[in-house]
Amino acid sequence: MQLPRQCQYCMKLLACIGSKCDASTLKFVVAQGKGAEGNVDGKILDFAVDEGLLKKKGSNYAFVHDQIQQAAYSLIPEEERGCLHRQIGNLILKHVPDNQVDELFFTAVSQLNRGIKKVRKRRRKVASPKTQS
């Protein structure tokens, strides 16, 4: 099975955000994010729904299994994950509509925290002296 590249990109962002996300939030993050190629159709994830990778309930997209989410997340190079989490968190904080503040604030903070943890972990790897045996 080969999903369209835009669908793969959207699934990676969804995996970063969590196991589920409102379609309007995901569409916004995809449209604002780096790596979006051209206009991203709001229905692009329907390919993944048709293939049984995602389910759509109301306006939410959700992974059908946590291992599918993990597989989508693993497609993001490890050195890019922290930056991507921070980018998502900042986009949500800067542009969250007033009527969604309660619902998205914790998502944004979680993204920023995950981004900081990834950066700290990476810095520790670089800073730690290598022992020779």
Side-chain angles (χ1 to χ4, degrees):
M1 156 184 43
Q2 181 71 15
L3 296 172
R5 280 187 8 195
Q6 288 181 331
C7 183
Q8 292 175 28
Y9 178 72
C10 291
M11 286 186 65
K12 288 190 277 187
L13 288 179
L14 175 57
C16 266
I17 293 169
S19 62
K20 66 179 179 177
C21 183
D22 181 80
S24 62
T25 302
L26 185 59
K27 184 177 178 183
F28 171 76
V29 170
V30 169
Q32 297 295 316
K34 298 172 186 169
E37 301 163 6
N39 289 336
V40 176
D41 183 349
K43 304 268 185 201
I44 194 70
L45 285 175
D46 288 347
F47 287 106
V49 171
D50 293 343
E51 293 295 332
L53 301 171
L54 298 177
K55 59 185 171 187
K56 188 169 184 188
K57 192 181 255 186
S59 66
N60 287 328
Y61 284 100
F63 286 97
V64 296
H65 196 280
D66 63 336
Q67 289 191 354
I68 295 172
Q69 178 188 0
Q70 291 170 358
Y73 190 70
S74 74
L75 295 174
I76 304 166
E78 193 169 338
E79 63 274 3
E80 294 176 18
R81 292 176 188 170
C83 186
L84 189 55
H85 283 295
R86 284 194 326 269
Q87 179 185 6
I88 292 169
N90 283 322
L91 282 170
I92 292 172
L93 280 179
K94 287 180 184 175
H95 302 286
V96 66
D98 289 340
N99 64 341
Q100 291 183 315
V101 169
D102 292 342
E103 160 186 340
L104 293 175
F105 179 75
F106 289 106
T107 300
V109 171
S110 172
Q111 290 299 305
L112 293 171
N113 284 336
R114 289 178 76 186
I116 288 170
K117 286 178 186 174
K118 294 277 184 197
V119 169
R120 285 183 181 155
K121 185 177 178 182
R122 191 165 172 222
R123 283 186 184 160
R124 278 192 298 252
K125 269 185 166 176
V126 171
S128 67
K130 298 190 180 211
T131 58
Q132 294 185 4
S133 27

